[in-house]
Amino acid sequence: MSPRTPVRSVVSLVPSLTEAVAATEPELLAGVTDWCTHPPGLAAERIGGTKNPDTARIAVLAPDLVIANEEENRPSDLAALRAAGLEVLVTEVRTLDQAFTELERVLVRGCGLARPGWLDAAEAAWADVTASGPARQAVVPVWRRPWMVLGRDTFAGDVLARLGVQHLYSAHPERYPRIPIQELTARDADLVVLPDEPYRFTADDGPEAFPGLPAALVSGRHLTWYGPSLAEAPAALTAALTAAR
C-alpha cells in the first residue's frame, strides 16, 4: 500500500483516531472533539462533541481531511461537511481485525503517512492472545439510567471474546440494547464487566446492582478505543478480568 500525497491538516471527530494521528504525526491535527482526551495537552482546536460538532467552524478550519466513524458521528453532520467541500473519510470498526485495517487506511491512504511502528506493536500484542480455560459468560453494561449493554456486532464484544469472555447479548438484534436491570440480573452470567466509559462505572457505582456476581472494572479506553492503546489492551484487560475471578 503506497501513501497518498501527504495532507497538511486533519480534523478528527473520533477520540480513538485523534490519538492514532497524534501518536504518528501530531502537527497534522487542526481540530478535535471535546472528548479527545489522549494524548493530554493536545494543542488542536476543540470543535464540539462527536454527536454535535461545530460544522461551520470545521469548514473555516478548511482541513484537507476530516476523519469520522459510522457509529460515533451523525450522517447529517458528515453530509454538512461534504456539502462545505471537505473530504470526509468514514471508518467502520466492529472487530479487532477491522480496527487494524481501518487504522492503516486512515493513516496511510488517508493522511499519506508511513505505517507507524506503534501499529505493528499493537498487532503483535494481539497476535498471540489466546483465551485460557472455559469461556466466561458476562453481562457488559455501557450505560446506566437506563441500563444499556453490549449487543451484536461490536468492537468491544470482539475484544472480549478474544480474551475468553462471551457476552450474553451478542445475538441481540440491537447493537446496544436497553435491558431492564431485573432481566440483567436474572441471566445466567458468571461475570459483569463494567468499563469506565461511556458511563463511568466505579467500585461504588455499578457492582452493587449485580449482587453475588464478580465485577471486572475495566478501562473503557482499552476496551473500546482502536489506536495506540491497543498495544496495552491485552495485558490491561486480562489483569482486570483475572482480578474478578
Side-chain angles (χ1 to χ4, degrees), residues 6-12 21-22 24-32 44 63-65 106-107 110-113:
V7 302
R8 297 162 298 171
S9 64
V10 171
V11 166
S12 173
V21 175
T24 309
E25 199 75 26
E27 58 270 21
L28 286 184
L29 289 167
V32 300
D64 296 316
L65 182 68
V106 166
L107 297 169
C111 296
L113 302 172

Side-chain angles (χ1 to χ4, degrees), residues 15-105:
S16 296
L17 299 179
T18 294
E19 185 179 19
V21 175
T24 309
E25 199 75 26
E27 58 270 21
L28 286 184
L29 289 167
V32 300
T33 76
D34 297 339
W35 300 106
C36 294
T37 56
H38 286 76
L42 199 59
E45 183 162 341
R46 300 289 168 167
I47 46 77
T50 57
K51 304 296 186 187
N52 58 344
D54 186 340
T55 56
R57 180 57 190 153
I58 295 171
V60 170
L61 291 174
D64 296 316
L65 182 68
V66 177
I67 50 179
N69 176 263
E70 51 90 28
E71 177 179 302
E72 295 202 44
N73 307 120
R74 301 184 304 178
S76 59
D77 293 322
L78 304 183
L81 294 171
R82 291 191 179 100
L86 301 179
E87 181 179 353
V88 181
L89 188 161
V90 183
T91 59
E92 178 183 281
V93 178
R94 301 191 180 189
T95 68
L96 183 63
D97 290 340
Q98 198 173 22
F100 291 133
T101 298
E102 290 288 68
L103 284 166
E104 179 156 346
R105 183 167 75 98

Side-chain angles (χ1 to χ4, degrees), residues 5 49 85 171 184 187:
T5 302
L184 295 180
R187 292 296 301 263

Side-chain angles (χ1 to χ4, degrees), residues 129-140:
V129 169
T130 55
S132 59
R136 304 175 76 180
Q137 304 299 313
V139 172
V140 189

Side-chain angles (χ1 to χ4, degrees), residues 114-134:
R115 179 182 166 94
W118 65 257
L119 185 53
D120 294 330
E123 287 194 334
W126 282 96
D128 296 326
V129 169
T130 55
S132 59

